[in-house]
Amino acid sequence: MKIVQIAVGVMQSNCFLVYREGSKQAFLVDPGAQPDRITAHIEHYGIEKITHILLTHGHFDHIGALAEMKDRTGALVCIHERDADMLTSNEANLAASTGVTVKQCEADVLLKGGDVVEAAGFDVEVLHTPGHSGGSVCYLTENVMFSGDTLFYRFCGRTDFPGSNTAEYYNTLNVVLKSLKKDYHVYTGHGKKTTLFDEFKHNTFFEA
């Protein structure tokens, strides 16, 4: 598995290009801004087809280049059903509150927890991890987790936004994630990557 991390926009949100070595197909996670920069990476790595765009949640800094990338690639847009309205509302995705405008883009696939998406030759499991937003998810494939804003290196996402829920987030961290018995390389929505078991040990947002 090859993973290219592309930090985009003023929020430096992480977009990921994921493919197998030798393959011309890939999927994207969270194209948050700068579509030309994302496209340049796709071309640089010889990718000819983006099959899916997987969204960890619907906040503006993770979907800002979504409409443009869908137009350029024809990829299927996938988001958890609880965040689907964020793709068509600048109020719901918080863009309006920051003076940003995000072009609307309808979802092609509405996800639920437990779904498996076959994307660019990978079986990607959808783990529903609400709290930061109602439809926040982590994507699991092989030994990798794309955590969005659910989990960062030694930190986690905010719960003071409309649609956030502290109680759900507590359950996400200390029940849903803690129930995972396999370690994962965690590629986060902002900042550097980490591992799940290392976060269990050192991230103070998890109960001991």
Side-chain angles (χ1 to χ4, degrees), residues 5-8 12-16 29-30 62 188-192:
Q5 179 174 316
I6 313 162
V8 295
Q12 288 292 278
S13 302
N14 288 329
C15 172
F16 298 101
V29 179
D30 289 356
H62 292 259
T188 63
H190 301 266
K192 64 182 181 179

Side-chain angles (χ1 to χ4, degrees), residues 53-105:
I53 299 174
L54 305 181
L55 302 173
T56 62
H57 63 297
H59 288 157
F60 74 94
D61 56 320
H62 292 259
I63 67 166
L66 173 64
E68 183 65 29
M69 293 311 300
K70 178 176 173 59
D71 286 346
R72 294 184 186 190
T73 66
L76 295 176
V77 173
C78 307
I79 193 169
H80 191 276
E81 59 186 1
R82 283 180 60 182
D83 275 11
D85 64 325
M86 295 184 180
L87 302 187
T88 56
S89 168
N90 280 290
E91 287 72 31
N93 65 38
L94 307 182
S97 65
T98 63
V100 175
T101 299
V102 172
K103 185 178 178 181
Q104 295 187 3
C105 182

Side-chain angles (χ1 to χ4, degrees), residues 8-202:
V8 295
V10 296
M11 305 292 289
Q12 288 292 278
S13 302
N14 288 329
C15 172
F16 298 101
L17 174 68
V18 186
Y19 64 100
R20 293 197 188 281
E21 188 166 8
S23 175
K24 300 296 185 181
Q25 293 190 334
F27 66 85
L28 286 176
V29 179
D30 289 356
Q34 298 178 273
D36 289 344
R37 186 157 181 258
I38 296 170
T39 299
H41 279 79
I42 293 171
E43 294 173 349
H44 174 77
Y45 288 98
I47 302 302
E48 298 176 356
K49 176 68 175 176
I50 301 295
T51 65
H52 295 72
I53 299 174
L54 305 181
L55 302 173
T56 62
H57 63 297
H59 288 157
F60 74 94
D61 56 320
H62 292 259
I63 67 166
L66 173 64
E68 183 65 29
M69 293 311 300
K70 178 176 173 59
D71 286 346
R72 294 184 186 190
T73 66
L76 295 176
V77 173
C78 307
I79 193 169
H80 191 276
E81 59 186 1
R82 283 180 60 182
D83 275 11
D85 64 325
M86 295 184 180
L87 302 187
T88 56
S89 168
N90 280 290
E91 287 72 31
N93 65 38
L94 307 182
S97 65
T98 63
V100 175
T101 299
V102 172
K103 185 178 178 181
Q104 295 187 3
C105 182
E106 296 279 353
D108 296 297
V109 182
L110 296 181
L111 302 171
K112 301 178 188 235
D115 287 347
V116 176
V117 180
E118 295 182 11
F122 297 92
D123 289 333
V124 183
E125 181 184 350
V126 180
L127 184 68
H128 188 205
T129 54
H132 179 66
S133 73
S136 286
V137 301
C138 295
Y139 293 108
L140 310 176
T141 184
E142 299 182 1
N143 65 339
V144 167
M145 171 188 290
F146 298 98
S147 66
D149 288 1
T150 294
L151 185 62
F152 301 132
Y153 174 80
R154 303 292 191 269
F155 209 68
C156 67
R158 292 168 58 176
T159 58
D160 58 341
F161 294 133
S164 299
N165 185 294
T166 302
E168 281 193 317
Y169 212 157
Y170 178 88
N171 185 73
T172 281
L173 294 174
N174 292 293
V175 177
V176 177
L177 291 183
K178 275 291 192 73
S179 72
L180 297 174
K181 304 305 181 187
K182 174 181 175 180
D183 199 7
Y184 289 91
H185 296 283
V186 180
Y187 289 80
T188 63
H190 301 266
K192 64 182 181 179
K193 70 179 182 179
T194 184
T195 69
L196 184 62
F197 285 4
D198 193 59
E199 293 305 310
F200 287 166
K201 292 178 183 176
H202 301 292

